[in-house]
Structure formats: structure tokens, C-alpha cells
Amino acid sequence: MFSRRTFVASALSTIALPAYGQTGPWPNKPIRLVVPYAPGGTTDVVARVVAEYLGKRLGQNIIVDNKPGKGAMVGTALVAKAPPDGYTLLMSVISGLTISPTLYGGGDFDPMADFIHVSIASTNPSVLVVNPTFEVKTFKDYVAYAKANPGKLAYATSGAGSSNHLLGVRLSQVISAEMVHVPYRGAGPAMIDTINGNVPSMFDSLPSAAPHIKAGKVRALAVSGEQRNPAFPDVPTMKEAGYPDLISYSWFGISVPAKTPAPIVDRIATEMQAVLKEPAVVKRWEEIGAEPSTMTPAEVTRFVQEEIDKWTPVVKSSGAKPE
């Protein structure tokens, strides 16, 4: 689904005299990685792995700064306005750049003009999970329950405008049964309420749901990928259940403010490719069902534009509203 071409660029050991008056090699102080969702969700999981290993390669601490709100637009807008000096990075997500700007009727930033999109750290399918005490056992049971109880079956997500929100809306459309969306300020609190039984089900990105599935705290009914995920071979796809329209993936990348100097962009891109080849990161991605990407900044930029073109009409036709 995604390009797998290898990106090769010369690593830069020092980058002198970038923007905003820096007088030494970049980086010479800690870097902030803004995560536009609350702690505990997939975005946060991926961000903390990236922060650890990218920080080691750059020789500086990378501090994860969670700024949730408005379908990831709060944190995304913050980075759009940050100085383009390489010290503020965005953990960019499908919702903040491609879905929420349409859902919320625009924002304080332009997803293309205000950013340089540097790298895709991982791509992954969504998963539908239920509280273990909920009576449905399979995805087909879930669909049957939704049809038999229109307007009563609730599902949690990380927030309005997330890809998981749109997946729930799409399911409701294809089965012609109204469902109740319960948005949260991040996947972490949504999962807690699903585990506690405050909501019976949740659409989540597989990496953040993975440890809870393995621990038996929630039961996985189906994944939204084209094929079964190697990390969870016993969990069927929604496509297998007869719903090919529900194939869906989310993605997590690194973006920086527009006008960030090219040497800094190149350095981040080069080091991110090295991070994604680290044996510990490869193993971690396999454990949580994520896939690394080898896209170059130019390829990532084209990819983000394609995602905007893809999701904008979907959001408009879905009838989804901010919540």
C-alpha cells in the first residue's frame, strides 16, 4: 500500500548556522516532539519510541509534549506556528492533517503550506475491540447487534475527526444502522472506559490496543487491514466478514514547520530511516502490528496530499460532525 523504496542520504554530523540565530551545530539543546493526542494512545506509543531512538542518534533528549484537542488540530496548529529551527517537531497524524481540517471547517494552519513532511514512522490498521463481558463474540455478531438495536450500540474513539471515528461512521453507513459515537481526548482514556465497561466497544489503532488485547482486558473482533495482521493472526479482517469498504489504515509521521532549513530536514529524514532499522524498533513494531515506511520527504509530501484528496470527500459525504 505504501512505497517501500529505500531512502539514502548522506548523514550530516554537524549543521551550522541554521535559522533564528543559532550559532552552533544543530542540535545543541533538547528537542520537543508535540503529540496532538493524550498519553496512552497509538500516537503517543509511536512518539515515545521515536523520541528515544531518534534522540540517541541526534545526541539530544527529545521531550514528548502531549497537546490534545479538536481532533489533533490543537497540537498540529502549535507546531505550524513554532520557529522553524528544528527544535519543535510534530508527530503528524492522519486526523490532524487530513480529516479534522474538513470536519471542523478549517483551522489555524494549512496542512501543506505550513509544514515540511519529513518521515512516516509507522502505518497500521484499526481494530474493533469490546469489553470482555459484552455479549457479542464476533464481528458478525457485532453487526447483528447494531442492526437489532439501532441508536443504542456505543463505540469509543480517540476523538471526533480521528480515522477511527470515520471508520465507525462508515460501518454505520454500510450496515444501515445508527450507532452512538463517544469521543474522548485521546485513545488512552477511551480504552480505560472500554476496559471498565463504561462503553461496550471501541475502534482503536492496533498499536495502542495491542497490550490490552494480549492481556485479555478487551476482546478483538476484527482489524481493518487488507490482510490479517501478523501480530494477531487469529483476529479476522472486516473484509473477511464481507465488508471490503471498511479497509482502513492510520499513519504516524514526523513533520516540521515550513521554512525549516534543508540540512535539518535532511538530517532528521536520514536519522529516522536509521531509527526504523534499529532491531529494537523493528521488534517493537512487530509486537504492536505496525509497519515502518521508507518514504523520502518528497514521497511523504505527495502521500499527505493524496491522503487529503482521499479523505476530504469522505468526511463531507459521511455527515460526521465535531463532537
Side-chain angles (χ1 to χ4, degrees):
M1 181 180 68
F2 297 94
S3 169
R4 293 292 188 268
R5 283 176 284 175
T6 303
F7 173 51
V8 179
S10 59
L12 303 175
S13 59
T14 59
I15 300 174
L17 302 175
Y20 285 83
Q22 183 169 315
T23 57
W26 179 90
N28 60 15
K29 63 181 181 179
I31 297 167
R32 178 169 62 154
L33 176 58
V34 175
V35 176
Y37 278 113
T42 301
T43 315
D44 188 65
V45 170
V46 172
R48 291 180 188 278
V49 173
V50 168
E52 177 183 355
Y53 287 91
L54 181 60
K56 288 178 181 178
R57 294 197 64 86
L58 293 175
Q60 288 289 343
N61 289 332
I62 296 182
I63 301 166
V64 173
D65 187 7
N66 297 88
K67 296 292 184 182
K70 203 175 179 181
M73 290 181 69
V74 170
T76 303
L78 186 154
V79 177
K81 295 177 174 62
D85 56 8
Y87 289 103
T88 304
L89 314 180
L90 172 68
M91 195 84 234
S92 48
V93 293
I94 183 174
S95 52
L97 292 176
T98 71
I99 296 175
S100 292
T102 300
L103 185 70
Y104 285 90
D108 298 329
F109 60 88
D110 184 303
M112 300 305 294
D114 291 336
F115 294 97
I116 298 172
H117 304 299
V118 183
S119 175
I120 298 294
S122 77
T123 64
N124 53 268
S126 295
V127 61
L128 172 62
V129 299
V130 297
N131 181 280
T133 63
F134 189 44
E135 64 187 77
V136 304
K137 304 299 181 184
T138 68
F139 185 65
K140 289 184 178 180
D141 291 343
Y142 187 88
V143 170
Y145 186 97
K147 289 181 176 180
N149 298 273
K152 296 182 180 180
L153 178 54
Y155 65 92
T157 73
S158 59
S162 65
S163 58
N164 290 303
H165 174 203
L166 267 291
L167 182 58
V169 169
R170 187 63 181 143
L171 173 61
S172 180
Q173 289 177 332
V174 299
I175 67 175
S176 300
E178 183 182 354
M179 298 165 61
V180 180
H181 178 224
V182 184
Y184 288 77
R185 289 174 64 88
M191 180 59 74
I192 290 172
D193 266 11
T194 304
I195 291 171
N196 291 338
N198 295 325
V199 287
S201 64
M202 177 182 178
F203 286 97
D204 195 10
S205 295
L206 188 55
S208 68
H212 306 293
I213 297 170
K214 291 179 178 179
K217 295 180 180 179
V218 290
R219 183 168 62 250
L221 299 186
V223 293
S224 66
E226 178 77 31
Q227 300 175 334
R228 295 194 183 201
N229 192 278
F232 295 92
D234 295 331
V235 180
T237 67
M238 297 174 189
K239 179 182 176 182
E240 286 179 61
Y243 299 97
D245 290 344
L246 298 181
I247 295 173
S248 176
Y249 292 83
S250 54
W251 47 265
F252 308 90
I254 296 292
S255 299
V256 297
K259 299 183 180 179
T260 297
I264 292 178
V265 173
D266 291 343
R267 176 81 186 278
I268 295 171
T270 299
E271 301 298 0
M272 276 299 298
Q273 289 304 307
V275 165
L276 297 175
K277 293 182 177 70
E278 288 272 0
V281 176
V282 171
K283 181 180 179 181
R284 180 63 173 142
W285 269 208
E286 289 175 348
E287 290 172 346
I288 62 177
E291 290 186 45
S293 169
T294 59
M295 283 189 275
T296 67
E299 290 169 336
V300 176
T301 298
R302 287 195 296 271
F303 170 70
V304 173
Q305 184 62 65
E306 289 169 358
E307 288 286 275
I308 292 171
D309 295 341
K310 170 186 173 181
W311 283 102
T312 296
V314 172
V315 175
K316 290 180 178 179
S317 65
S318 72
K321 303 292 183 184
E323 298 177 49

